[in-house]
Each structure stands twice: as C-alpha cells, then as structure tokens.
C-alpha cells in the first residue's frame, strides 16, 4: 500500500520518508510493522524505474491521529468510537495515551450494513438477485440510488440501519458507560460516522461527529509526522 502511494507521486531517483502509521494494537504488533516498513528499500516502478526508498517509521495507537484533529482545547480524557469498514473500535485516551483496558474492538463495520441491505428481501425481490454491496455503499452517498438502475433504497436503509447500530454503536456506548462521568467528550469517527442519520442518532447520546471523520486519522497522523520530523 505504501509503495503504491509513492508510485502516484512525481518520480524521483530516491525518496527519504518519515512515516507515522497506526494500528489497533501497537503493543502487540508495532515491532513487526516497524520492521516491515523501516529501512532502505530498492523498488522497481512500472517494471523499469529503479529507485531507492529510505523510510524512518514511527508506530502509534489507532485513533491517535483522529484524536489530534477532534480534541478541543482543554479536553484531556476523550473517547473515540471509530465506525470503520469492518470493525468498530472504541477507545479512551488521556492526553495521547490509550488508557489500559479501555479499547474494545467489535468485528462489525460499514461492510456488514451494506451486506444486509444487499441481501434484504425487498432488495432481492426488486432486483431479482442480491445487490452488489459496493454499489449499495456508493448509493448511500448518492441519494440512495443503486448504480444506474434509478432504483432508490432509502426505506431499506432506514430499516437495516437500526439493527446495524444496535450491533456496533450501542455496544460501544455501553462499553463507555462505566467511565462516562469522567470523560470530557465522546467523538464519532470513521467512514460510518458519515452515513446518513448516523451522526444525528449518535448526538442524542452526547456523541459528536467530527469534521472529515473518514480521513481524520490520516490528517492527524500527518500532523504528528510533520511535528516529529521537525525534532529530528
């Protein structure tokens, strides 16, 4: 993935990169990820251009990037609920430190909502077959129109959204309840936070969606990388 991203930049004979990456359990896996990324690499692009890529790498906990973007001045203890593609990750940070035993990972994400809509009985009746989950995901951001068929599935989305939130957002909220009185804020991040009606429903429980929630973690990691590079 990293080399694929580099291949999209203007071609150079060599690259010196300072990279900040995050993952859901840095205590267990940071060493292996850093070992895979950091160091000197010789790469052939387009089967012909051979370039040198020198990477210095820092690994941090998943959510730290979004935290840097979302946390308001004066807030210290903040919870994040990250509604991702395949998981929902709930975490509590004090400063930039993940609190012990505060992380909960549920293997339910936006992908599962798309699958349930794709296999909904009304969907199958209308299309004569299960829908393409990819086109369902696209349709969620395009007035619920499925592909080029002009078929609109907003009512099915509303029906399936309830069960999906019960399987991901509700468990995350319950996980935070024992510490809720000690939190400065709870933020909703990830692509799932941008789905229609999700932020409005979450706000009823005092959970705030942050701007650019889908890219917030990457934006925050960039800020961390720039700040760290200045210290090198």
């Amino acid at each position: 993935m990293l080399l694929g991203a580099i291949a999209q930049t203007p071609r150079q004979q060599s690259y010196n990169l300072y990279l900040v990456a995050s993952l859901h359990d840095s205590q267990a896996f940071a060493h292996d990820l850093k070992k895979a990324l950091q160091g000197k690499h010789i790469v052939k692009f387009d089967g012909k251009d051979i370039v040198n890529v020198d990477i210095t790498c820092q690994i941090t906990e998943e959510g730290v990037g979004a935290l840097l973007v979302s946390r308001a001045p004066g807030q210290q203890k903040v919870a994040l609920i990250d509604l991702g593609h395949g998981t929902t990750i709930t975490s509590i940070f004090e400063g930039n430190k993940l609190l012990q035993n505060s992380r909960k990972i549920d293997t339910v994400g936006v992908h599962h909502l798309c699958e349930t809509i794709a296999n909904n009985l009304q969907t199958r009746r209308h299309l004569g077959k299960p829908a393409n989950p990819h086109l369902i995901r696209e349709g969620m951001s395009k007035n619920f129109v499925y592909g080029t068929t002009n078929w609109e599935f907003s009512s099915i989305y509303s029906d399936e959204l309830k069960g999906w939130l019960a399987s991901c957002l509700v468990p995350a909220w319950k996980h935070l309840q024992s510490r809720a009185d000690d939190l400065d804020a709870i933020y909703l991040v990830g692509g799932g936070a941008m789905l229609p009606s999700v932020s409005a429903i979450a706000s009823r429980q005092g959970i705030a969606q942050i701007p650019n929630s889908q890219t917030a973690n990457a934006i925050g990691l960039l800020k961390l990388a720039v700040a760290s590079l200045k210290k090198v």
Side-chain angles (χ1 to χ4, degrees):
M1 289 177 63
L2 174 62
L3 295 177
I6 295 173
Q8 302 305 311
T9 65
R11 194 57 47 84
Q12 302 174 196
Q13 289 186 338
S14 63
Y15 296 82
N16 291 287
L17 304 178
Y18 191 93
L19 175 69
V20 177
S22 66
L23 74 171
H24 69 281
D25 191 344
S26 66
Q27 185 177 6
F29 303 113
H31 174 77
D32 291 337
L33 181 58
K34 187 172 184 177
K35 183 178 179 182
L37 292 173
Q38 184 161 287
K40 299 181 183 298
H41 308 270
I42 299 175
V43 184
K44 180 182 287 187
F45 288 125
D46 300 326
K48 55 182 180 179
D49 294 331
I50 297 177
V51 301
N52 296 306
V53 181
D54 192 351
I55 299 174
T56 301
C57 186
Q58 176 185 344
I59 309 297
T60 187
E61 288 285 355
E62 186 74 19
V64 167
L67 182 71
L68 295 176
V69 173
S70 62
R71 187 173 53 202
Q75 292 180 342
Q76 285 297 314
K77 196 171 290 186
V78 173
L80 296 179
I81 300 175
D82 186 346
L83 296 178
H85 175 72
T87 59
T88 297
I89 303 176
T90 310
S91 314
I92 301 176
F93 292 88
E94 185 165 10
N96 291 340
K97 182 180 179 182
L98 178 69
L99 294 187
Q100 187 175 7
N101 299 322
S102 73
R103 174 154 290 171
K104 182 177 187 292
I105 301 175
D106 294 306
T107 55
V108 180
V110 176
H111 167 73
H112 300 87
L113 174 61
C114 296
E115 288 282 354
T116 58
I117 295 173
N119 289 283
N120 180 276
L121 178 59
Q122 296 302 317
T123 299
R124 303 197 315 271
R125 282 177 174 170
H126 183 84
L127 298 176
K129 60 183 179 180
N132 183 324
H134 174 70
L135 294 180
I136 292 293
R137 182 66 183 92
E138 282 191 346
M140 291 177 184
S141 60
K142 297 179 179 179
N143 298 317
F144 298 104
V145 175
Y146 179 74
T148 58
T149 67
N150 292 323
W151 175 58
E152 193 259 1
F153 59 93
S154 61
S155 61
I156 299 174
Y157 172 82
S158 297
D159 291 341
E160 296 292 359
L161 182 65
K162 300 173 185 177
W164 180 72
L165 290 175
S167 67
C168 58
L169 187 59
V170 171
W173 170 249
K174 289 181 177 178
H175 174 66
L176 296 174
Q177 287 310 286
S178 62
R179 306 193 191 190
D181 293 340
D182 194 34
L183 297 176
D184 292 316
I186 303 175
Y187 291 108
L188 191 65
V189 300
M194 302 180 68
L195 295 178
S197 302
V198 169
S199 62
I201 293 171
S203 67
R204 299 171 191 168
Q205 303 298 332
I207 304 171
Q209 178 192 351
I210 66 171
N212 303 314
S213 58
Q214 189 170 13
T215 57
N217 194 60
I219 293 171
L221 291 180
L222 175 59
K223 290 184 176 181
L224 184 59
V226 171
S228 298
L229 185 59
K230 291 179 179 179
K231 299 177 182 178
V232 175

